[in-house]
Amino acid sequence: MAEHLQTSYQAMGLAEEEDLGQDSPHERLIMFHEVPENNKSRWNHIEDLDEFFTRVYRYHQKNGFLCMMLQEVLELVQFAFVVIFSLFLLGCIDYNRLHAGDAKLNFTIWDALVPTNECVKSINGWVVLLLLVPAAVFWILQVFKVVYHFFQYMEIQAFYANALKISADDLPNMTWHEVQQRLQEAQKDQQMCIHKRELSELDIYHRILRFKNYFVSMVNKSLLPIKYRLPVVGDYVFLTRGLKYNFELILFWGPWAPFENNWHLKDDFKSAQKRKELAAFLSQKILWIGIANFLLSPLIFIWQVLYMFFNYAELIKREPGSLGTRRWSQYGRYYLRHFNELDHELLARLNRGYRPAAKYMSIFTSPIMTIIAKNIAFFAGAILVVLLFITLGFEQHIHVDNELLAITALTVVITVCRASIPDENLVWCPETLLSMVLAQIHYMPDTWKGNAHTYKVRDEFSKLFQYKIAFLLEELMSPLISPFIICFCLRQKALDIVDFYRNFTVDVVGVGDVCSFAQMDVRHHGNPTWVAEGHTQASHYQQAEDGKTELSLMHFTLTNPRWKPPPDCNMFINSIREHVGREVVNGPISEESALYQSLYSIASLGAGYQSLVTSLVPPMSSRCPERSSLPAYSSGYPSMPVPAGMLGSQGQQSPIKGKPYRPRGGISRIEGPLEGSSSGLLGTIMQTSSTGGGSLQASGVDVSLSNASLTGMLPQLQQSEPGLQADLTSTDMSLSSLYLHELHHRRKRYRGYDDIGVEEMQQMTGDEEEGEEDARHLTAPSERQSQSSPERLLIPADLAEMGDDVEDEDAAPLVHLAQIS
């Protein structure tokens, strides 16, 4: 038992706004080793802590026992309603009689109903066998699942009340960070994990997000077959819920998955000796699952059609333009997800980025399509006006067949056309808009910088931010397409999957087998263009792409300020904070510095952000864009209109009778602690700005700050923009992501990456065999500089301080981008 607890790993379900907290299909019975003498021993030595912590998290996010069970029961009712109502529409309505009765004055829909006995007889036997029987079996299984969940979450409710001391009334008003702190305290009393006296924040995240961290890393390393080059269409990304479900079934919790249980990778997958045998075995099982998908695809397709019809038909009729709106794609959710990022943290971040992303996509218009849309809207509008006039004015004398259908269709056409016609009086700066998006989503390819105005970048961004109509069509066709992808594409990746598990799985004491990328180890998985020289030893095969390791580390540090990073991670974080401190202290912030560009981008997010920047660095006030020219995007969760300044420390007094601030509403979705984190760049800037460098030491900046010093500036911002302080942690992370991207681009330019073509880069990248493991390595930075004309490379001043003390006052400044509105 102890060996299993030390050597494996687990995962959660879907990461989507509609599926937040959905129970994963790989649930197992949680074993408690109970000692009945006292209440403290009730949860001693829980065998499957992954499943237990996942349920604790879901219980918090779904607002407690009553809400969870009510939702599951109503889902059962909804499924039964869809099946029964579909059969009713299929066999219990005489459509010929209904159509013939249109001309009768007193004819009603009830006259078209078929008697019950005739209705039952009219249903085809094949329909009952192929549709009704599988649906009934599935529904009965779901009933047993709901009953099982009832007893499971009764236990979680008791755990919240007795071990965490959180009542059902207090639960909606607590952040996950507060629940997690109580969970850590409960470990000391209950000893849920017997292998560690104390659990860190990272231990808890690892257990909740074990499989999701693997999935994120596989997407990051382009291991899964989700990108294709299609004729005519070109590059296309296909990842649906159904396909993702099959990937998880094969890779994580299925009967032939590489995992022995929720926390242990099978020992054979950790050895290189059987890699080819394991790949052949996995390829065979993938084929069988693909064949099963082929056989079940008609049933699943019919269910998809029925579900989408009942779910979206009313919405389309009420809001025809909703199909033209955008949403974050399934691929985008995993490409943009940090390692160790919980569902609510991801959704809050994507919701903040939705409006600037939609604004960026809306600036790309086609003159030809605009002309066509205007003319189609004109013709459709003319016909619609006549139909409405006839219907309202001559209803008793003239009868027009299907007038309601015609009016609805014309309304949809006009709405879509009007939405396609841009405002000719608005001019936007694409680079500024894209930086506003980057501030919230934190990731974008290097090729996008400086090319935000091009359709190439727009098309690539649309893979992350797709039309809702495209999402619905992909989900509808997924049952028919997924079997081909599983059988013909995923099977070819079997050997790569086996190698991935062996190379990127580590055993963490008290946690089990976890993805090594989720350790956020900069030295082993850092990217050399995202860290200072000498901070990473990772080869090209080992490093995470797009700065995933570095940005994930910054995000986790901000959302969990009490977490103590390992020495290498702490060195990276402190180097960034010390560098920021030096930029602030060394006099007026130069426009060529990375900090200035980052602060300017933050100020572009809205008036509240501009007030924050000028409060931190007063000299920036004369250089920030005018407030009147900036779109005031909401900074927090859209459903959280929280007064500014409310998120001070618990002891901060409100203006009303000296009572401490305590927010309510949507608090469970807030990232990190309510009072924010003093360990980020905002705290560093505030301290060095206020002390004028007095806190600097010879080795760098004294980055130890108290929360009180950071929250002390909140009253200055109470009148700037309501809701800005609703998530101070996210604002700090936005600044950190922008700053790290700026440093990354400067390092690339300094080290010669931008001067290297694709073919030359491929020649520099070699495959090196270690035993039977394949690993790709990049040429060392010094060799790259010798191949890329180093005499033309200028060292930016802000990078020289982080390198080998090399300075060059002639470094070329960055182009200053301003938004035109």
Side-chain angles (χ1 to χ4, degrees), residues 1 18 68 80 234 353 371 485 577 590 618 761 773 783:
M1 181 67 66
E18 298 90 346
M68 297 179 71
I371 295 173
I485 295 177
R577 292 162 63 188
S590 171
M761 179 68 76
E773 298 180 16
E783 298 177 21

Side-chain angles (χ1 to χ4, degrees), residues 83-206:
V83 175
I84 295 173
F85 192 55
S86 299
L87 291 175
F88 171 79
L89 295 176
L90 185 64
C92 298
I93 297 180
D94 188 344
Y95 291 97
N96 294 328
R97 188 177 180 186
L98 180 65
H99 181 73
D102 286 347
K104 299 180 181 179
L105 296 178
N106 298 323
F107 185 83
T108 64
I109 191 173
W110 303 106
D111 298 326
L113 297 182
V114 177
T116 305
N117 57 341
E118 296 181 13
C119 176
V120 174
K121 294 179 181 179
S122 65
I123 299 178
N124 190 286
W126 287 105
V127 174
V128 175
L129 181 63
L130 297 179
L131 296 181
L132 190 57
V133 172
V137 172
F138 178 80
W139 190 82
I140 293 173
L141 293 176
Q142 291 299 106
V143 170
F144 282 109
K145 182 179 178 181
V146 170
V147 174
Y148 176 54
H149 286 172
F150 177 84
F151 293 103
Q152 282 184 329
Y153 286 105
M154 281 287 289
E155 183 67 24
I156 299 299
Q157 184 183 41
F159 178 77
Y160 265 84
N162 299 322
L164 302 185
K165 309 299 181 185
I166 301 175
S167 66
D169 294 333
D170 294 334
L171 184 64
N173 202 34
M174 297 191 69
T175 66
W176 169 250
H177 185 265
E178 293 172 316
V179 174
Q180 183 176 257
Q181 286 182 325
R182 299 202 185 190
L183 194 61
Q184 291 176 279
E185 293 298 323
Q187 161 65 14
K188 300 176 183 178
D189 295 333
Q190 304 288 339
Q191 282 298 290
M192 298 171 288
C193 176
I194 62 173
H195 297 280
K196 299 180 75 172
R197 172 63 182 169
E198 297 182 358
L199 291 176
S200 69
E201 293 86 348
L202 189 58
D203 292 338
I204 297 173
Y205 273 67
H206 275 335

Side-chain angles (χ1 to χ4, degrees), residues 592-667:
E592 70 180 53
S593 68
L595 181 59
Y596 176 88
Q597 295 295 321
S598 303
L599 289 173
Y600 184 87
S601 297
I602 285 290
S604 300
L605 290 174
Y609 288 95
Q610 182 176 337
S611 297
L612 175 62
V613 171
T614 55
S615 297
L616 291 172
V617 188
M620 285 285 293
S621 60
S622 61
R623 291 181 258 179
C624 285
E626 293 294 332
R627 295 188 181 188
S628 59
S629 66
L630 297 173
Y633 292 115
S634 172
S635 60
Y637 219 78
S639 59
M640 268 196 327
V642 189
M646 72 172 188
L647 295 183
S649 59
Q650 295 293 323
Q652 186 178 350
Q653 301 297 310
S654 70
I656 304 176
K657 298 182 181 180
K659 293 183 179 180
Y661 289 109
R662 185 65 195 183
R664 185 172 182 85
I667 302 305

